[in-house]
Amino acid sequence: MKVLQCHNLYRQPGGEDRVVEDEKRLLEEHGHEVVSFTLHNDQVADLSKPRLAAGTVWSRRSARALRELVRRERPDIAHFHNTLPLMSPSSYYAVRGEGVPVVQTLHNYRLLCPKATFFRDNRVCEDCLTKKIKWPAVVHGCYRDSRSASAAVAAMLTVHGVAGTYRRAIDAYIVCSEFTQQKLIQGGYPADRLHYKPNFVTDDPGVGSGGGGYPLYVGRLSSEKGIEVLARAWELLPDTPLHLVGQGPMSPMVEDLKARRPRIVHHAYVEFAELQKIMADAAFIVLPSMTYEGFPKVIAEAYSHGVPVVATDTGAMTHIVVEGVTGRRFGYGDAEGLATIVRELMGDPDQVLRLRRGARTAYETAYTADANYRRLLEIYRHAQQRFQRSAAASPSTPPARPRSAAG
């Protein structure tokens, strides 16, 4: 199978970009040819605001480039990841019009929330979830703290929602968590086209020792990731160690806490190999996120080491972290609840050992590369079959550009 992989790269590489690379490697290791079509958000600086806004709704340039690429390479399937803002939904029509089925991975909640996180004013926000016109996001300037940028994304969702793009031009969606699947159904997306496939770990690192005896946080140091909750919890845990790996706008808060809590270690940046060692030695991972999350890749990585996760009892974590089996969960924003669980685990090595076994079993069951590959191929086959049924139903009517699209 030849796979066309399409992705709009972010300015700062993150978990989503890593998933794209992991899937590319996974497919190639199984003998598939992967053709990459990538754009980069660094190009945004070269565009005027009106041109960027129009291109967010309908990008002629990316559609033309994709059409030429498809005619040259003749892939069997097109797999999209991020399309915002340079690729736009025009890409679906360009590819599908050339006879290629379309798969779209939803790493976040962009089709339901212009900001993609369901997070505003330091709390969960679902104001746009069921609205056809995402006007609350524009009023609050949710995307990039800009009303004009939010209006462009809201226009994209409205135009293509009304035109039926998300219903007609995508043969299969991949969702990374069961919670995401539920939210999309609630937002009006067809359940039979939403296929659950979690993130995975490319190489089995083996079970870690947990010998370091410390809780570990890995991720961006920002409010949506719950750093304030983490800091308040450790104010109640003066003698408990903590390692943090990451940078972000709340780095000063972490450094201030570290100055008052000498057992806290902050690694602003470490190479991947060093991160794996830090994780393997951790007693457990702490994930105090204030957002729903999609599927934090750090959870799969922790489980592969046999490291349990202590997470907020909300969103995707309610499915991924099984209470008392692969980790523990605490209430939304509840720093005292987090501190209580940490204190309990640090004083109960037998419980930690049981959770470590549960975490490793979860990895072996659901998050290996082999399991992910099998699931990915199943979804590709579903997409191909649906495309064939659609083509048979209207053989002389290839998908066309929505008349209401701008740009």
Side-chain angles (χ1 to χ4, degrees), residues 234-248:
W234 253 261
E235 292 285 3
L236 304 172
L237 299 165
D239 300 318
T240 303
L242 172 66
H243 283 230
L244 301 98
V245 178
Q247 303 178 69

PDB file of all heavy atoms in Angstrom, residues 234-248:
ATOM      1  N   TRP A 234       2.388  20.542  45.825  1.00  0.00           N
ATOM      2  CA  TRP A 234       3.728  20.372  46.423  1.00  0.00           C
ATOM      3  C   TRP A 234       4.004  21.373  47.538  1.00  0.00           C
ATOM      4  O   TRP A 234       4.918  21.186  48.323  1.00  0.00           O
ATOM      5  CB  TRP A 234       4.801  20.377  45.343  1.00  0.00           C
ATOM      6  CG  TRP A 234       5.333  18.983  45.157  1.00  0.00           C
ATOM      7  CD1 TRP A 234       6.491  18.459  45.680  1.00  0.00           C
ATOM      8  CD2 TRP A 234       4.703  17.912  44.449  1.00  0.00           C
ATOM      9  NE1 TRP A 234       6.603  17.130  45.341  1.00  0.00           N
ATOM     10  CE2 TRP A 234       5.536  16.764  44.586  1.00  0.00           C
ATOM     11  CE3 TRP A 234       3.518  17.797  43.717  1.00  0.00           C
ATOM     12  CZ2 TRP A 234       5.209  15.535  44.012  1.00  0.00           C
ATOM     13  CZ3 TRP A 234       3.195  16.577  43.150  1.00  0.00           C
ATOM     14  CH2 TRP A 234       4.036  15.461  43.296  1.00  0.00           C
ATOM     15  N   GLU A 235       3.185  22.412  47.628  1.00  0.00           N
ATOM     16  CA  GLU A 235       3.259  23.261  48.817  1.00  0.00           C
ATOM     17  C   GLU A 235       2.842  22.458  50.050  1.00  0.00           C
ATOM     18  O   GLU A 235       3.291  22.742  51.176  1.00  0.00           O
ATOM     19  CB  GLU A 235       2.335  24.481  48.674  1.00  0.00           C
ATOM     20  CG  GLU A 235       2.762  25.482  47.615  1.00  0.00           C
ATOM     21  CD  GLU A 235       3.959  26.329  48.030  1.00  0.00           C
ATOM     22  OE1 GLU A 235       4.497  26.098  49.137  1.00  0.00           O
ATOM     23  OE2 GLU A 235       4.361  27.204  47.240  1.00  0.00           O
ATOM     24  N   LEU A 236       2.004  21.446  49.848  1.00  0.00           N
ATOM     25  CA  LEU A 236       1.539  20.586  50.933  1.00  0.00           C
ATOM     26  C   LEU A 236       2.430  19.368  51.128  1.00  0.00           C
ATOM     27  O   LEU A 236       2.185  18.559  52.018  1.00  0.00           O
ATOM     28  CB  LEU A 236       0.102  20.118  50.636  1.00  0.00           C
ATOM     29  CG  LEU A 236      -0.936  21.223  50.398  1.00  0.00           C
ATOM     30  CD1 LEU A 236      -2.258  20.614  49.926  1.00  0.00           C
ATOM     31  CD2 LEU A 236      -1.141  22.037  51.664  1.00  0.00           C
ATOM     32  N   LEU A 237       3.441  19.226  50.269  1.00  0.00           N
ATOM     33  CA  LEU A 237       4.331  18.060  50.309  1.00  0.00           C
ATOM     34  C   LEU A 237       5.786  18.512  50.416  1.00  0.00           C
ATOM     35  O   LEU A 237       6.603  18.269  49.529  1.00  0.00           O
ATOM     36  CB  LEU A 237       4.138  17.218  49.030  1.00  0.00           C
ATOM     37  CG  LEU A 237       2.732  16.647  48.798  1.00  0.00           C
ATOM     38  CD1 LEU A 237       2.585  16.171  47.350  1.00  0.00           C
ATOM     39  CD2 LEU A 237       2.454  15.497  49.760  1.00  0.00           C
ATOM     40  N   PRO A 238       6.137  19.178  51.496  1.00  0.00           N
ATOM     41  CA  PRO A 238       7.470  19.808  51.585  1.00  0.00           C
ATOM     42  C   PRO A 238       8.640  18.833  51.524  1.00  0.00           C
ATOM     43  O   PRO A 238       9.737  19.219  51.119  1.00  0.00           O
ATOM     44  CB  PRO A 238       7.424  20.522  52.938  1.00  0.00           C
ATOM     45  CG  PRO A 238       6.364  19.808  53.727  1.00  0.00           C
ATOM     46  CD  PRO A 238       5.340  19.408  52.720  1.00  0.00           C
ATOM     47  N   ASP A 239       8.414  17.567  51.901  1.00  0.00           N
ATOM     48  CA  ASP A 239       9.520  16.611  51.935  1.00  0.00           C
ATOM     49  C   ASP A 239       9.469  15.601  50.789  1.00  0.00           C
ATOM     50  O   ASP A 239      10.254  14.649  50.773  1.00  0.00           O
ATOM     51  CB  ASP A 239       9.511  15.855  53.275  1.00  0.00           C
ATOM     52  CG  ASP A 239       9.674  16.800  54.457  1.00  0.00           C
ATOM     53  OD1 ASP A 239      10.507  17.726  54.346  1.00  0.00           O
ATOM     54  OD2 ASP A 239       8.966  16.619  55.459  1.00  0.00           O
ATOM     55  N   THR A 240       8.557  15.797  49.846  1.00  0.00           N
ATOM     56  CA  THR A 240       8.385  14.838  48.752  1.00  0.00           C
ATOM     57  C   THR A 240       9.160  15.279  47.524  1.00  0.00           C
ATOM     58  O   THR A 240       9.030  16.426  47.086  1.00  0.00           O
ATOM     59  CB  THR A 240       6.892  14.702  48.389  1.00  0.00           C
ATOM     60  OG1 THR A 240       6.155  14.299  49.551  1.00  0.00           O
ATOM     61  CG2 THR A 240       6.699  13.664  47.289  1.00  0.00           C
ATOM     62  N   PRO A 241       9.967  14.392  46.948  1.00  0.00           N
ATOM     63  CA  PRO A 241      10.710  14.770  45.735  1.00  0.00           C
ATOM     64  C   PRO A 241       9.772  14.923  44.532  1.00  0.00           C
ATOM     65  O   PRO A 241       8.653  14.411  44.530  1.00  0.00           O
ATOM     66  CB  PRO A 241      11.672  13.600  45.544  1.00  0.00           C
ATOM     67  CG  PRO A 241      10.982  12.441  46.178  1.00  0.00           C
ATOM     68  CD  PRO A 241      10.239  13.005  47.361  1.00  0.00           C
ATOM     69  N   LEU A 242      10.244  15.618  43.527  1.00  0.00           N
ATOM     70  CA  LEU A 242       9.504  15.778  42.276  1.00  0.00           C
ATOM     71  C   LEU A 242      10.493  16.151  41.184  1.00  0.00           C
ATOM     72  O   LEU A 242      11.327  17.037  41.384  1.00  0.00           O
ATOM     73  CB  LEU A 242       8.444  16.881  42.400  1.00  0.00           C
ATOM     74  CG  LEU A 242       7.720  17.274  41.106  1.00  0.00           C
ATOM     75  CD1 LEU A 242       6.854  16.133  40.583  1.00  0.00           C
ATOM     76  CD2 LEU A 242       6.881  18.539  41.317  1.00  0.00           C
ATOM     77  N   HIS A 243      10.395  15.459  40.044  1.00  0.00           N
ATOM     78  CA  HIS A 243      11.162  15.842  38.863  1.00  0.00           C
ATOM     79  C   HIS A 243      10.192  16.382  37.820  1.00  0.00           C
ATOM     80  O   HIS A 243       9.125  15.797  37.598  1.00  0.00           O
ATOM     81  CB  HIS A 243      11.925  14.640  38.294  1.00  0.00           C
ATOM     82  CG  HIS A 243      13.150  14.284  39.074  1.00  0.00           C
ATOM     83  ND1 HIS A 243      14.385  14.101  38.485  1.00  0.00           N
ATOM     84  CD2 HIS A 243      13.348  14.090  40.395  1.00  0.00           C
ATOM     85  CE1 HIS A 243      15.280  13.802  39.410  1.00  0.00           C
ATOM     86  NE2 HIS A 243      14.667  13.779  40.577  1.00  0.00           N
ATOM     87  N   LEU A 244      10.553  17.483  37.197  1.00  0.00           N
ATOM     88  CA  LEU A 244       9.762  18.061  36.107  1.00  0.00           C
ATOM     89  C   LEU A 244      10.634  18.178  34.874  1.00  0.00           C
ATOM     90  O   LEU A 244      11.783  18.616  34.964  1.00  0.00           O
ATOM     91  CB  LEU A 244       9.221  19.447  36.470  1.00  0.00           C
ATOM     92  CG  LEU A 244       8.316  19.563  37.693  1.00  0.00           C
ATOM     93  CD1 LEU A 244       9.113  20.021  38.893  1.00  0.00           C
ATOM     94  CD2 LEU A 244       7.169  20.541  37.423  1.00  0.00           C
ATOM     95  N   VAL A 245      10.081  17.808  33.726  1.00  0.00           N
ATOM     96  CA  VAL A 245      10.774  17.955  32.447  1.00  0.00           C
ATOM     97  C   VAL A 245       9.892  18.794  31.535  1.00  0.00           C
ATOM     98  O   VAL A 245       8.770  18.392  31.215  1.00  0.00           O
ATOM     99  CB  VAL A 245      11.058  16.593  31.793  1.00  0.00           C
ATOM    100  CG1 VAL A 245      11.740  16.795  30.434  1.00  0.00           C
ATOM    101  CG2 VAL A 245      11.919  15.723  32.700  1.00  0.00           C
ATOM    102  N   GLY A 246      10.369  19.960  31.145  1.00  0.00           N
ATOM    103  CA  GLY A 246       9.593  20.791  30.245  1.00  0.00           C
ATOM    104  C   GLY A 246       9.852  22.264  30.465  1.00  0.00           C
ATOM    105  O   GLY A 246      10.514  22.676  31.427  1.00  0.00           O
ATOM    106  N   GLN A 247       9.326  23.070  29.552  1.00  0.00           N
ATOM    107  CA  GLN A 247       9.441  24.519  29.607  1.00  0.00           C
ATOM    108  C   GLN A 247       8.080  25.118  29.289  1.00  0.00           C
ATOM    109  O   GLN A 247       7.175  24.438  28.833  1.00  0.00           O
ATOM    110  CB  GLN A 247      10.467  25.016  28.585  1.00  0.00           C
ATOM    111  CG  GLN A 247      11.856  24.414  28.733  1.00  0.00           C
ATOM    112  CD  GLN A 247      12.800  24.925  27.665  1.00  0.00           C
ATOM    113  OE1 GLN A 247      13.175  26.086  27.661  1.00  0.00           O
ATOM    114  NE2 GLN A 247      13.195  24.044  26.752  1.00  0.00           N
ATOM    115  N   GLY A 248       7.930  26.414  29.510  1.00  0.00           N
ATOM    116  CA  GLY A 248       6.681  27.075  29.195  1.00  0.00           C
ATOM    117  C   GLY A 248       6.529  28.358  29.967  1.00  0.00           C
ATOM    118  O   GLY A 248       7.415  28.766  30.734  1.00  0.00           O
TER     119      GLY A 248
END
